Amino acid sequence: MSFLKSDTPVDVLKHLLVIGAAGALLLFGFFFVYLPITTNHGETIVVPKITGMKQEALEDYLDERNLRYFVDDSSYNPSIAPFTVLTQDPAPGERVKEDRKIYISVSMKNPPVIKMPKLVDGSVKNAQMILKSYDLVVGEIKLVPDLAQNAVLKQLVGGKEIAPGAPIAKGTRVDLVVGDGQGNQEFPVPNVVNMPQDEAATLLVGQGLQVGEIFYQPAEEGQTEGTVVKQRPVPSPGATIRMGQLVDLWIAGDAPLKSVD
């Protein structure tokens, strides 16, 4: 801006004062009038409680309150309906500006799929802890005769064995077959006389017994080679045996030739 040569120093000073006052007025109006109007300065909204609400109802509910939401996490819980709000941030009661995002986590519709852990050969107590840590459900615990007391012998889903590493959904029920430690219970001595040697061995093992010494003797009249003609202990009335014990067998015929390497 130029000043007339006839302007006195006083006039110039007046002009500068007017310009300064106008500039100050503009700055005041910008910061204390314009900005508060456009940014809602000083206006806040109390965050409502939205946990427990269904996600589908959130948009209209928050839009009425000039708020928004964003799903930043999800988890599965079979006891909670799908798409239910589990957590929120900011918390209910906090004051925020308009158009603020509320970050939420919701419950999933389908459980995530994980790998089945290995439970066999471990203790039943350890298996229960592992299942809970994997968000799997401890199902039926079936005790069966076995010397390995409280040891997991099988892991089942729906009555079928499931291998470690197989895909399984969280929340699935897993049943356990566990040894009762009572393999020393007595039961009647099984009779394997007149049975082929291989069938006799299979029967004994199936009942938790072991095949002891094998003796071979010439087949007598009426005896079939390769069959059991005698056993020890003898299966007499009232005779009992414990699981894991040995049963010696006498076989009709010659002993098989040993192969020479």
Side-chain angles (χ1 to χ4, degrees):
M1 176 180 293
S2 63
F3 299 101
L4 297 175
K5 292 181 179 180
S6 58
D7 286 344
T8 66
V10 175
D11 294 330
V12 173
L13 182 59
K14 289 180 179 180
H15 286 302
L16 292 175
L17 289 174
V18 171
I19 293 171
L25 184 62
L26 287 174
L27 290 174
F28 180 85
F30 179 78
F31 285 106
F32 295 96
V33 179
Y34 175 76
L35 282 182
I37 291 175
T38 56
T39 61
N40 296 315
H41 180 71
E43 293 184 16
T44 58
I45 301 171
V46 177
V47 176
K49 180 180 181 297
I50 58 175
T51 53
M53 292 181 61
K54 287 294 187 67
Q55 184 182 349
E56 60 188 16
L58 280 185
E59 190 152 354
D60 291 340
Y61 181 79
L62 293 178
D63 191 52
E64 293 175 357
R65 290 158 178 79
N66 296 320
L67 295 170
R68 295 180 295 152
Y69 76 91
F70 179 79
V71 179
D72 67 349
D73 195 14
S74 60
S75 60
Y76 178 75
N77 189 325
S79 62
I80 299 178
F83 307 113
T84 299
V85 179
L86 303 176
T87 62
Q88 67 176 87
D89 182 31
E94 291 190 24
R95 303 191 74 89
V96 298
K97 290 184 179 181
E98 289 187 1
D99 208 36
R100 170 68 186 271
K101 279 185 182 178
I102 299 178
Y103 295 89
I104 65 172
S105 66
V106 297
S107 57
M108 300 171 62
K109 180 178 181 181
N110 298 314
V113 176
I114 58 174
K115 291 183 179 180
M116 177 67 196
K118 182 180 184 297
L119 308 175
V120 175
D121 297 332
S123 69
V124 63
K125 184 177 181 179
N126 188 54
Q128 290 173 309
M129 293 174 60
I130 292 175
L131 289 175
K132 290 179 181 178
S133 69
Y134 277 72
D135 291 331
L136 297 170
V137 178
V138 179
E140 178 186 5
I141 298 178
K142 182 181 179 182
L143 297 177
V144 297
D146 194 279
L147 293 174
Q149 187 173 14
N150 294 324
V152 178
L153 307 177
K154 294 180 182 179
Q155 51 194 43
L156 310 172
V157 172
K160 298 181 179 179
E161 287 195 62
I162 180 170
I168 184 172
K170 284 189 176 183
T172 301
R173 173 189 171 107
V174 179
D175 300 323
L176 303 174
V177 177
V178 179
D180 62 4
Q182 297 178 355
N184 58 350
Q185 285 186 333
E186 295 185 351
F187 54 92
V189 176
N191 186 359
V192 295
V193 174
N194 295 325
M195 293 179 62
Q197 180 181 348
D198 56 348
E199 292 184 14
T202 300
L203 185 147
L204 293 174
V205 172
Q207 295 194 17
L209 301 172
Q210 300 182 60
V211 177
E213 292 190 75
I214 303 292
F215 303 97
Y216 292 90
Q217 62 184 41
E220 298 179 1
E221 185 177 352
Q223 294 179 340
T224 304
E225 288 195 9
T227 59
V228 178
V229 295
K230 182 182 176 183
Q231 69 177 75
R232 183 175 58 202
V234 178
S236 57
T240 59
I241 192 171
R242 291 192 177 103
M243 187 176 292
Q245 285 190 314
L246 301 175
V247 177
D248 300 328
L249 302 176
W250 280 259
I251 310 298
D254 297 328
L257 296 176
K258 294 183 178 180
S259 59
V260 179
D261 295 334

